[in-house]
Amino acid sequence: MMDFSGLLLLLVVFTDFWVLGTTRMSSVIRAAAIQGAILAALPLALHPGLSLHMVGLAIGTFAIKALLLPAFLHRAIREASVRREVEPVIGFTASLCIGAVAVALSFAVAQRLPLPEAQTALLVPVALATVIVGLIVLTTRSKALTQVVGYLILENGIYVFGLTQAERVPFLVEIGVLLDVFVGVFIMGIVVFHINREFDSLSSAKLTELKD
Amino acid sequence: MRLLALLVIPLVAAVAAYLHHGAGFRNAWLLAAAAAHLTLVGSLWVVPGPPVFGDWLALDALGLIILTVVTILFAVVALYAVGYLRTEAPRGGRAFVTCLLAFLTFTSLVTLSHHLALLWVGMEATTLTLAPLVFHRHDRRSLEAVWKYLVLSSVGIALALLGTFFLAAAQVDGRPLLIGDLVMSAGTMQPSLLRAAFVFLLVGFGTKMGLAPLHAWKPDTYGEAPSLVSALMAGALTSCAFLGLARIAQVMSAAGQAAFMQPLLLAFGLFSLVVAAAFMIGQTDLKRLLAYSSVEHMGLLVLGLGLGGSGTYGTVLHVLNNGLTKGLMFLTVGNVVLVTGTAHVPSMRGVLRRAPLSGALLLAGLFAVTGSPPFGPFVSEFTILGAAIGQGHPWLGAVLVVLLAVIFIGMARPILDVLYGEPGAVGSGPPAGGLRLAGPLVLVLLVLVLGVYLPSHLRVALARAAVSLGGVVP
């Protein structure tokens, strides 16, 4: 089982780089959906006892992160008929390189963190790397919709970190967190829809009226 | 039971208000829920409520003080909202009232949560319930405001979640993430993980409070949201975010990590004051001016917390004073803006003549918000200043005095410009009616009373809250 969870965590990093390196928006959303599905499998792989808590978490995560949110975001780009992320603030190659540095840094930092359990050897560096990748996507992409995906990736990273504490955080709270993320992305999606209608563009770079 | 009722009543009212199509019914639900909530909180001052759900929901002195700010502000805003929705074309009044009531539910949840992950859930939910309200006007400017608000707050609060998980990882003994157990077993916590948790939580809740340099969303959001929403944000939401920070501060000081925490808090506090002072000079939008004033007061809160000792007492008192004063200012400015039709300072003149009562309230509010006697904020700011000078930071005290003076000038100039002078030709809305004036009048009285007299119940609660944060009573 240990090996299987390690494989899943490597796949999480793989989807991180997929998001960083791709230009097509539908592909970015697909990567996020696949990441969501991997995250749903993780609690089962890490805690093989099949407890109600872990099964519930897996089902909730799969429903929200792999099905509902990606479907909603796909619908948003279809209605906006925008396909590509055109003008990233930092180029794709550059952001891939930053992502690679982030992964290396995460492993270095995670080794120095005094976390007790052995099962977390890969969990913490992957979590930190995913958080950083989420932040990179959020700050360097100009399309509002891609930024929403960045937020989702960031949340995914925190979710992975939370798995180190899964047995200590009650199920109710985890469902609360998932619901908050769901509603958050949903409201962001609605705002993106309004941005598109108002400015005829999905680019948040046009939001420049308010300043001092 | 009463603690649970604080959550259930507004939630039921929110659902009921959504199901009713008549504006009259919705207003009745809004006012009834606000009144019931206010009464319940009042009863909790007299007879404390026992914890429910195995200590997950409980009310300590700090929570009670912030809950009181929330409930008073909400009651006032509910009255104001009834008058406001009558004046402004009611666009989706249904969603408006529902979001307001949901906001009351989740802010109450934050003040009652003694489980820090549950507190996080409530905090994120408050962010989300206010987003539709910020976007109330449905124009380009409010769209930009709500986008910045959502993205920055969500990222900030996400980092706070990471901090919460770090805190869980740092904890060795006791039930996970319950504040009482965390404080009790603080000595056995893993220090480096605890510090990491503190940094993430400071950045996360600091973003929600709007501490500089994490305040970028604040002027835009407060400037574009309807004034009553800005009042709730600047008075209630920031106080709840401060509570989140105060909870981790409780753990840090119990764990003997005050030496790590205090310099960080002082730095954020001082920088917030500097940024607020710098951006207030020459500010031409009244609501943005108030947003920077909010940055200033959030800075004062963490400054007092960072000073420790009697500064902590000043901070706890300032939460109360700031919450009520911000409500007063935003609601009054809202009334003035409805008269003049703009918040642009150069186009507003002679408000004192055109709407004497609102003008007088604005003048009183100016003195209150800048910490002048005899209003409440003077007492709390003076306590914080006294702590800075008395506890070995005379240079900090001196800088603080200069900054507060600059801020006073920065606030007074535009507001006096607006009050005096010849009434211009622009805008000729009717002066505010009774519903929209009642709230600010109540608030100005409360802020005045807090400046001259603290009831004994309140003094005891303030002292307890300050001690729980590792401070002392001056």
Side-chain angles (χ1 to χ4, degrees), chain A residues 72-136:
Chain A
F72 175 67
L73 293 175
H74 269 300
R75 214 188 123 189
I77 55 166
R78 221 180 13 255
E79 292 201 354
S81 62
V82 176
R83 297 271 173 268
R84 270 168 199 285
E85 173 73 38
V86 266
E87 62 282 44
V89 183
I90 295 177
F92 289 102
T93 324
S95 55
L96 276 173
C97 292
I98 301 174
V101 173
V103 171
L105 261 178
S106 307
F107 272 87
V109 170
Q111 284 212 317
R112 301 187 50 194
L113 279 179
L115 282 161
E117 291 123 276
Q119 58 155 10
T120 57
L122 264 179
L123 220 43
V124 176
V126 169
L128 295 181
T130 307
V131 166
I132 298 173
V133 168
L135 284 174
I136 295 172

Coordinates of all heavy atoms in Angstrom, one line a residue, chain A residues 72-136:
Chain A
F72 N -18.3 22.4 -14.0 CA -18.7 23.8 -13.9 C -17.8 24.7 -14.7 O -18.2 25.6 -15.5 CB -18.8 24.2 -12.5 CG -19.1 25.6 -12.2 CD1 -20.4 26.2 -12.6 CD2 -18.2 26.5 -11.7 CE1 -20.7 27.5 -12.4 CE2 -18.5 27.8 -11.5 CZ -19.7 28.3 -11.8
L73 N -16.4 24.5 -14.5 CA -15.5 25.3 -15.2 C -15.5 25.1 -16.7 O -15.3 26.0 -17.5 CB -14.1 25.1 -14.6 CG -13.9 25.5 -13.1 CD1 -12.5 25.1 -12.6 CD2 -14.1 27.0 -13.0
H74 N -15.7 23.8 -17.1 CA -15.8 23.5 -18.5 C -16.9 24.3 -19.2 O -16.8 24.8 -20.3 CB -16.0 22.0 -18.8 CG -14.7 21.3 -18.9 ND1 -13.8 21.5 -19.9 CD2 -14.1 20.2 -18.2 CE1 -12.8 20.7 -19.9 NE2 -12.9 19.9 -18.8
R75 N -18.0 24.3 -18.4 CA -19.2 25.0 -18.9 C -18.9 26.5 -19.1 O -19.3 27.2 -20.0 CB -20.4 24.8 -17.9 CG -21.7 24.8 -18.7 CD -22.8 24.8 -17.7 NE -23.7 25.9 -18.1 CZ -24.7 26.3 -17.3 NH1 -24.9 25.7 -16.2 NH2 -25.4 27.3 -17.7
A76 N -18.1 27.0 -18.1 CA -17.8 28.5 -18.1 C -17.0 28.8 -19.4 O -17.3 29.8 -20.1 CB -17.0 28.9 -16.9
I77 N -16.0 28.0 -19.7 CA -15.2 28.3 -20.9 C -16.0 28.1 -22.2 O -15.8 28.8 -23.2 CB -13.8 27.6 -21.1 CG1 -14.0 26.1 -21.0 CG2 -12.8 28.1 -20.1 CD1 -12.7 25.4 -21.5
R78 N -16.9 27.1 -22.2 CA -17.7 26.9 -23.4 C -18.6 28.1 -23.6 O -18.7 28.6 -24.8 CB -18.6 25.7 -23.2 CG -18.7 24.9 -24.4 CD -19.5 23.6 -24.4 NE -20.4 23.4 -23.3 CZ -20.2 22.6 -22.3 NH1 -19.1 21.9 -22.2 NH2 -21.1 22.4 -21.3
E79 N -19.2 28.7 -22.6 CA -20.0 29.9 -22.7 C -19.2 31.1 -23.1 O -19.7 31.9 -23.8 CB -20.8 30.1 -21.4 CG -21.8 29.0 -21.2 CD -22.9 29.4 -20.3 OE1 -22.9 30.5 -19.7 OE2 -23.9 28.6 -20.1
A80 N -18.0 31.1 -22.6 CA -17.2 32.3 -23.0 C -16.5 32.1 -24.3 O -15.9 33.0 -24.8 CB -16.2 32.5 -21.9
S81 N -16.5 30.9 -24.8 CA -15.8 30.5 -26.1 C -14.4 31.0 -26.1 O -13.9 31.7 -27.1 CB -16.6 30.9 -27.3 OG -16.7 32.3 -27.4
V82 N -13.6 30.8 -25.0 CA -12.2 31.1 -25.0 C -11.5 29.8 -24.8 O -11.9 29.0 -24.0 CB -11.9 32.0 -23.8 CG1 -10.4 32.3 -23.7 CG2 -12.6 33.3 -23.9
R83 N -10.5 29.6 -25.6 CA -9.8 28.3 -25.6 C -8.4 28.3 -25.0 O -8.0 27.4 -24.4 CB -9.7 27.7 -27.0 CG -11.1 27.5 -27.7 CD -11.6 26.1 -27.4 NE -12.9 25.9 -27.8 CZ -14.0 26.2 -27.1 NH1 -13.9 26.5 -25.8 NH2 -15.2 26.0 -27.6
R84 N -7.7 29.4 -25.3 CA -6.3 29.4 -24.9 C -5.9 30.5 -23.9 O -6.5 31.6 -23.9 CB -5.5 29.7 -26.2 CG -5.1 28.4 -26.9 CD -4.5 28.7 -28.3 NE -4.6 27.6 -29.1 CZ -3.8 26.5 -29.0 NH1 -2.8 26.6 -28.1 NH2 -3.9 25.5 -29.7
E85 N -5.0 30.2 -23.1 CA -4.3 31.2 -22.3 C -3.3 31.8 -23.2 O -2.3 31.2 -23.6 CB -3.6 30.5 -21.1 CG -2.8 31.4 -20.2 CD -3.6 32.3 -19.4 OE1 -4.7 31.9 -18.9 OE2 -3.2 33.4 -19.2
V86 N -3.5 33.1 -23.6 CA -2.7 33.7 -24.6 C -1.4 34.4 -24.0 O -0.3 34.0 -24.4 CB -3.4 34.7 -25.5 CG1 -3.9 33.9 -26.7 CG2 -4.5 35.3 -24.8
E87 N -1.7 35.3 -23.1 CA -0.5 36.2 -22.8 C -0.1 36.0 -21.3 O -0.4 36.8 -20.5 CB -0.9 37.6 -23.1 CG -2.1 38.2 -22.4 CD -3.4 37.8 -22.9 OE1 -3.7 36.7 -23.2 OE2 -4.3 38.7 -23.1
P88 N 0.5 34.9 -20.9 CA 0.9 34.8 -19.5 C 2.0 35.8 -19.2 O 2.8 36.2 -20.1 CB 1.5 33.3 -19.5 CG 1.8 32.9 -20.8 CD 1.1 33.8 -21.8
V89 N 1.9 36.3 -18.0 CA 2.9 37.3 -17.5 C 4.3 36.7 -17.5 O 5.3 37.4 -17.9 CB 2.5 37.7 -16.1 CG1 3.5 38.9 -15.6 CG2 1.1 38.2 -16.0
I90 N 4.4 35.4 -17.2 CA 5.7 34.8 -17.2 C 5.5 33.6 -18.2 O 4.5 32.9 -18.1 CB 6.2 34.2 -15.9 CG1 6.4 35.4 -14.9 CG2 7.4 33.4 -16.0 CD1 6.8 35.0 -13.5
G91 N 6.5 33.4 -19.1 CA 6.3 32.4 -20.2 C 6.1 31.0 -19.6 O 6.4 30.7 -18.4
F92 N 5.7 30.1 -20.5 CA 5.4 28.7 -20.0 C 6.7 28.0 -19.6 O 6.7 27.3 -18.6 CB 4.7 27.9 -21.1 CG 3.3 28.4 -21.3 CD1 2.9 29.2 -22.3 CD2 2.3 28.0 -20.3 CE1 1.6 29.6 -22.5 CE2 1.0 28.5 -20.5 CZ 0.7 29.3 -21.5
T93 N 7.7 28.1 -20.4 CA 9.0 27.5 -20.0 C 9.5 28.0 -18.7 O 9.9 27.2 -17.8 CB 10.1 27.8 -21.1 OG1 9.4 27.8 -22.4 CG2 11.1 26.7 -21.1
A94 N 9.4 29.3 -18.5 CA 9.9 29.9 -17.3 C 9.1 29.4 -16.1 O 9.7 29.1 -15.1 CB 9.8 31.5 -17.4
S95 N 7.8 29.3 -16.3 CA 7.0 28.9 -15.1 C 7.2 27.4 -14.8 O 7.2 27.0 -13.7 CB 5.5 29.2 -15.3 OG 5.0 28.6 -16.5
L96 N 7.5 26.6 -15.9 CA 7.9 25.2 -15.6 C 9.2 25.1 -14.8 O 9.3 24.3 -13.9 CB 8.1 24.5 -16.9 CG 6.8 23.9 -17.5 CD1 7.1 23.3 -18.9 CD2 6.2 22.8 -16.6
C97 N 10.2 26.0 -15.1 CA 11.4 26.0 -14.4 C 11.2 26.4 -13.0 O 11.7 25.8 -12.0 CB 12.4 27.0 -15.1 SG 13.0 26.4 -16.7
I98 N 10.4 27.5 -12.8 CA 10.1 27.9 -11.4 C 9.4 26.8 -10.6 O 9.7 26.5 -9.5 CB 9.1 29.1 -11.4 CG1 9.8 30.3 -12.1 CG2 8.8 29.6 -9.9 CD1 8.9 31.5 -12.2
G99 N 8.5 26.0 -11.3 CA 7.9 24.9 -10.7 C 8.9 23.8 -10.3 O 8.8 23.3 -9.2
A100 N 9.9 23.6 -11.1 CA 10.9 22.6 -10.8 C 11.7 23.0 -9.6 O 11.9 22.2 -8.6 CB 11.8 22.4 -12.0
V101 N 12.0 24.3 -9.5 CA 12.7 24.8 -8.3 C 11.9 24.7 -7.1 O 12.3 24.3 -6.0 CB 13.1 26.3 -8.6 CG1 13.7 26.9 -7.3 CG2 14.1 26.4 -9.7
A102 N 10.6 24.9 -7.3 CA 9.6 24.9 -6.1 C 9.6 23.4 -5.6 O 9.6 23.2 -4.4 CB 8.2 25.3 -6.6
V103 N 9.6 22.4 -6.5 CA 9.6 21.1 -6.0 C 10.8 20.7 -5.2 O 10.8 20.2 -4.1 CB 9.4 20.1 -7.2 CG1 9.6 18.7 -6.8 CG2 8.0 20.3 -7.8
A104 N 12.0 21.1 -5.8 CA 13.3 20.9 -5.1 C 13.3 21.5 -3.7 O 13.6 20.9 -2.7 CB 14.4 21.4 -6.0
L105 N 12.8 22.8 -3.7 CA 12.8 23.5 -2.4 C 11.9 22.8 -1.4 O 12.2 22.7 -0.2 CB 12.2 24.9 -2.6 CG 13.3 26.0 -2.7 CD1 12.6 27.4 -3.0 CD2 14.1 26.1 -1.5
S106 N 10.7 22.3 -1.9 CA 9.7 21.7 -1.0 C 10.4 20.5 -0.4 O 10.2 20.2 0.8 CB 8.5 21.3 -1.8 OG 8.0 22.4 -2.5
F107 N 11.1 19.7 -1.2 CA 11.7 18.5 -0.6 C 12.7 18.9 0.4 O 12.8 18.3 1.5 CB 12.4 17.6 -1.7 CG 11.4 16.7 -2.3 CD1 10.6 17.0 -3.4 CD2 11.3 15.4 -1.8 CE1 9.7 16.1 -3.9 CE2 10.4 14.5 -2.3 CZ 9.6 14.9 -3.4
A108 N 13.5 20.0 0.1 CA 14.5 20.4 1.1 C 13.9 20.9 2.4 O 14.4 20.5 3.5 CB 15.4 21.5 0.5
V109 N 12.8 21.7 2.3 CA 12.2 22.2 3.5 C 11.5 21.1 4.3 O 11.7 21.0 5.5 CB 11.1 23.2 3.1 CG1 10.3 23.6 4.3 CG2 11.8 24.5 2.5
A110 N 10.8 20.1 3.6 CA 10.1 19.1 4.2 C 11.0 18.2 5.0 O 10.6 17.7 6.1 CB 9.3 18.3 3.2
Q111 N 12.2 18.0 4.6 CA 13.2 17.1 5.3 C 13.5 17.7 6.6 O 13.8 17.0 7.6 CB 14.5 17.0 4.5 CG 14.2 16.0 3.3 CD 15.5 15.3 3.0 OE1 16.6 15.9 3.0 NE2 15.4 14.0 2.8
R112 N 13.5 19.1 6.7 CA 13.9 19.7 8.0 C 12.7 19.9 8.9 O 12.9 20.3 10.1 CB 14.5 21.1 7.7 CG 15.7 20.9 6.7 CD 16.4 22.3 6.6 NE 16.7 22.9 7.9 CZ 17.1 24.2 8.0 NH1 17.2 24.9 6.9 NH2 17.3 24.7 9.2
L113 N 11.5 19.6 8.5 CA 10.3 19.8 9.3 C 10.2 18.5 10.3 O 10.3 17.4 9.8 CB 9.0 19.9 8.5 CG 8.7 21.2 7.9 CD1 7.4 21.2 7.2 CD2 8.6 22.3 9.0
P114 N 10.1 18.8 11.6 CA 10.1 17.6 12.5 C 8.7 17.0 12.6 O 8.1 17.0 13.6 CB 10.5 18.3 13.8 CG 10.0 19.7 13.7 CD 10.0 20.0 12.2
L115 N 8.3 16.4 11.4 CA 7.0 15.7 11.5 C 7.2 14.2 11.8 O 8.1 13.6 11.3 CB 6.3 15.8 10.1 CG 5.7 17.1 9.8 CD1 5.5 17.3 8.3 CD2 4.4 17.3 10.6
P116 N 6.4 13.7 12.7 CA 6.6 12.4 13.3 C 6.5 11.2 12.3 O 7.4 10.5 12.1 CB 5.6 12.3 14.5 CG 4.6 13.3 14.2 CD 5.2 14.4 13.3
E117 N 5.3 11.0 11.7 CA 5.1 9.7 11.1 C 5.9 9.5 9.8 O 6.2 10.4 9.1 CB 3.6 9.6 10.7 CG 2.7 9.5 11.9 CD 1.6 10.6 12.0 OE1 1.9 11.7 12.4 OE2 0.5 10.3 11.5
A118 N 6.2 8.2 9.6 CA 7.0 7.8 8.5 C 6.2 7.9 7.1 O 6.8 8.2 6.1 CB 7.6 6.5 8.7
Q119 N 4.9 7.7 7.2 CA 4.1 7.6 6.0 C 4.1 9.0 5.3 O 3.7 9.1 4.2 CB 2.7 7.2 6.4 CG 2.1 8.2 7.4 CD 0.6 8.2 7.3 OE1 0.0 7.4 6.7 NE2 -0.1 9.2 7.9
T120 N 4.5 10.0 6.0 CA 4.4 11.4 5.5 C 5.7 11.8 4.7 O 5.8 12.9 4.3 CB 4.2 12.4 6.6 OG1 5.3 12.2 7.5 CG2 2.9 12.2 7.3
A121 N 6.6 10.8 4.5 CA 7.8 11.1 3.8 C 7.6 11.9 2.5 O 8.3 12.9 2.2 CB 8.6 9.9 3.5
L122 N 6.7 11.5 1.7 CA 6.4 12.1 0.4 C 5.3 13.2 0.5 O 5.2 14.1 -0.3 CB 6.0 11.1 -0.7 CG 7.1 10.6 -1.6 CD1 6.6 9.6 -2.6 CD2 7.7 11.8 -2.4
L123 N 4.4 12.9 1.5 CA 3.2 13.7 1.6 C 3.5 15.2 1.7 O 2.9 16.1 1.0 CB 2.4 13.2 2.8 CG 0.9 13.1 2.8 CD1 0.4 12.5 1.5 CD2 0.4 12.3 3.9
V124 N 4.4 15.6 2.6 CA 4.7 17.0 2.9 C 5.3 17.7 1.8 O 4.9 18.8 1.4 CB 5.4 17.1 4.2 CG1 5.8 18.6 4.5 CG2 4.6 16.6 5.4
P125 N 6.4 17.1 1.2 CA 7.0 17.9 0.0 C 6.0 18.0 -1.1 O 6.0 19.1 -1.7 CB 8.2 17.0 -0.4 CG 8.0 15.7 0.3 CD 7.2 16.0 1.6
V126 N 5.2 17.0 -1.4 CA 4.3 17.1 -2.5 C 3.2 18.2 -2.2 O 2.9 19.0 -3.0 CB 3.6 15.8 -2.8 CG1 2.4 15.9 -3.7 CG2 4.6 14.8 -3.4
A127 N 2.8 18.2 -0.9 CA 1.8 19.2 -0.5 C 2.4 20.6 -0.7 O 1.8 21.5 -1.3 CB 1.4 19.0 0.9
L128 N 3.6 20.9 -0.2 CA 4.2 22.2 -0.4 C 4.4 22.6 -1.8 O 4.1 23.7 -2.2 CB 5.5 22.3 0.4 CG 5.4 22.1 1.9 CD1 6.7 22.2 2.6 CD2 4.4 23.1 2.5
A129 N 4.9 21.6 -2.6 CA 5.1 21.9 -4.0 C 3.8 22.3 -4.7 O 3.8 23.3 -5.5 CB 5.7 20.7 -4.7
T130 N 2.8 21.6 -4.4 CA 1.5 21.9 -5.0 C 0.9 23.3 -4.6 O 0.4 24.0 -5.4 CB 0.5 20.8 -4.7 OG1 1.0 19.5 -5.0 CG2 -0.8 20.9 -5.4
V131 N 1.1 23.6 -3.3 CA 0.7 24.9 -2.9 C 1.5 26.0 -3.7 O 0.9 27.0 -4.2 CB 1.0 25.1 -1.4 CG1 1.0 26.6 -1.0 CG2 0.1 24.3 -0.5
I132 N 2.8 25.8 -3.9 CA 3.6 26.8 -4.6 C 3.1 26.9 -6.0 O 3.0 28.0 -6.6 CB 5.1 26.5 -4.5 CG1 5.5 26.6 -3.0 CG2 5.9 27.5 -5.3 CD1 6.9 26.1 -2.7
V133 N 2.9 25.7 -6.7 CA 2.5 25.7 -8.1 C 1.1 26.5 -8.2 O 0.9 27.3 -9.1 CB 2.4 24.3 -8.6 CG1 1.6 24.3 -9.9 CG2 3.7 23.7 -8.8
G134 N 0.2 26.2 -7.2 CA -1.0 26.9 -7.2 C -0.8 28.4 -7.2 O -1.4 29.2 -7.9
L135 N 0.1 28.9 -6.3 CA 0.4 30.3 -6.2 C 1.0 30.9 -7.5 O 0.7 32.0 -7.9 CB 1.3 30.6 -5.0 CG 0.7 30.5 -3.7 CD1 1.7 30.6 -2.6 CD2 -0.4 31.6 -3.5
I136 N 1.9 30.0 -8.2 CA 2.4 30.5 -9.4 C 1.4 30.7 -10.5 O 1.3 31.8 -11.2 CB 3.5 29.5 -10.0 CG1 4.7 29.4 -9.0 CG2 4.0 29.9 -11.4 CD1 5.6 28.2 -9.4

